[in-house]
Amino acid sequence: MNKPKKIIRVVALVIILFLILFITIFEKGGQIVTSSTFNNYDTINNLEGKEEKEDTKTTQKEVASEINKDIIGRIKIDGTNIDNILVQTDNNEYYLNHLPNGKKDSRGTIFMDYRNNMNDRKLLIYGHNSETLKSAPFHDLEKYLNESFYKQNKYVELTLNDEKSTWEIFSVMILEKNDNRHMKITFNDSEWIKHLDWMKNNSIYNTDVEASLNDRIITLQTCYYEPDDSYLIINAKKIK
């Protein structure tokens, strides 16, 4: 066999092997991942449960930071559809009508008060509700108006800085919009006790869960409409 023919056969064999490899990968669902892959609420969810070698493991916080530096964690409440990315920026307006990917949307995103830092005694978290739009992020908080539902679903799961924590609900309140006492986040010890007592005493039912001086709490705020222009407030203390 002359040399040119031998070279042609080798090249043809390489091409055939490449085509076989390409077809095999395609049939197994191989895909190229681009930044657009992450443009939805499920980004952090899709990372959960995936195992990687310890030396190449990327935390959810690191991946989230690449997508949107405002993403600080996630909030989840069993028995509801609340399982959402949590964000924080330098104001309390932007995420009223924006999604984590920057797209404008009237439902907004669940976000933490810009005044908070992670070590505060109280973390204040906001999300939209709607009388007609059931997909509003905090719409399902209305379920806590039913004491029977509360008894079966007392806990809020929060993930911040890749650390999961559990918070037990101790107070469910409805407040007029001109009552902003729940929005205070800085206290001395005496003020803190009075604030917790106020939350307990104004709960729409008795939860039999106490909150005391050394407790940290989260306050979830959303709009309500019975009466008009009111707030539905859920308060929970950290238990682990």
Side-chain angles (χ1 to χ4, degrees), residues 152-171:
Q152 299 298 316
N153 302 276
K154 295 183 177 182
Y155 305 103
V156 178
E157 183 180 286
L158 202 60
T159 302
L160 296 171
N161 295 326
D162 282 327
E163 294 183 7
K164 286 187 177 181
S165 54
T166 303
W167 308 68
E168 184 176 14
I169 295 170
F170 67 88
S171 168

Side-chain angles (χ1 to χ4, degrees), residues 10-227:
V10 171
V11 171
L13 180 60
V14 170
I15 292 172
I16 291 170
L17 290 174
F18 176 81
L19 289 173
I20 292 173
L21 178 62
F22 178 82
I23 292 170
T24 301
I25 292 174
F26 181 80
E27 289 178 344
K28 289 184 178 181
Q31 61 176 338
I32 298 174
V33 178
T34 66
S35 59
S36 62
T37 307
F38 299 109
N39 285 344
N40 56 66
Y41 274 115
D42 296 325
T43 302
I44 305 301
N45 248 357
N46 293 337
L47 297 173
E48 292 175 358
K50 290 187 178 181
E51 295 182 359
E52 301 176 5
K53 291 182 179 180
E54 197 62 35
D55 59 348
T56 61
K57 186 173 181 181
T58 302
T59 67
Q60 292 185 17
K61 181 183 176 184
E62 289 168 341
V63 174
S65 295
E66 293 177 8
I67 304 162
N68 180 347
K69 63 180 178 58
D70 293 341
I71 295 174
I72 59 172
R74 196 169 193 91
I75 182 169
K76 182 177 184 296
I77 305 177
D78 288 340
T80 75
N81 64 3
I82 299 169
D83 185 1
N84 298 77
I85 283 172
L86 179 63
V87 296
Q88 184 185 41
T89 189
D90 59 2
N91 63 78
N92 285 342
E93 287 77 43
Y94 181 79
Y95 285 106
L96 290 173
N97 57 9
H98 284 84
L99 301 180
N101 61 12
K103 180 180 177 181
K104 271 203 165 186
D105 192 304
S106 61
R107 292 170 298 176
T109 305
I110 297 173
F111 65 96
M112 186 180 293
D113 194 294
Y114 76 96
R115 299 170 297 163
N116 271 131
N117 66 63
M118 303 304 176
N119 298 316
D120 285 341
R121 275 176 163 171
K122 175 180 175 181
L123 303 178
L124 186 54
I125 297 172
Y126 308 94
H128 274 312
N129 185 21
S130 169
E131 192 170 4
T132 57
L133 189 63
K134 308 305 182 184
S135 62
F138 265 175
H139 177 76
D140 269 13
L141 289 184
E142 288 189 22
K143 292 184 176 183
Y144 284 101
L145 298 172
N146 185 322
E147 186 175 358
S148 296
F149 177 82
Y150 161 77
K151 289 179 178 178
Q152 299 298 316
N153 302 276
K154 295 183 177 182
Y155 305 103
V156 178
E157 183 180 286
L158 202 60
T159 302
L160 296 171
N161 295 326
D162 282 327
E163 294 183 7
K164 286 187 177 181
S165 54
T166 303
W167 308 68
E168 184 176 14
I169 295 170
F170 67 88
S171 168
V172 178
M173 304 191 298
I174 297 174
L175 298 177
E176 299 280 348
K177 274 202 173 176
N178 59 4
D179 187 347
N180 294 319
R181 284 176 285 179
H182 68 284
M183 296 184 68
K184 182 176 172 62
I185 61 173
T186 304
F187 309 85
N188 60 38
D189 286 353
S190 176
E191 292 171 337
W192 186 234
I193 292 297
K194 289 179 180 178
H195 192 67
L196 296 175
D197 287 345
W198 169 73
M199 289 178 164
K200 281 290 296 177
N201 294 336
N202 285 275
S203 181
I204 62 175
Y205 47 77
N206 184 10
T207 64
D208 293 321
V209 179
E210 297 300 324
S212 57
L213 178 63
N214 295 322
D215 284 320
R216 295 184 64 208
I217 73 168
I218 54 174
T219 291
L220 312 182
Q221 173 194 303
T222 196
C223 293
Y224 194 52
Y225 31 84
E226 294 182 15

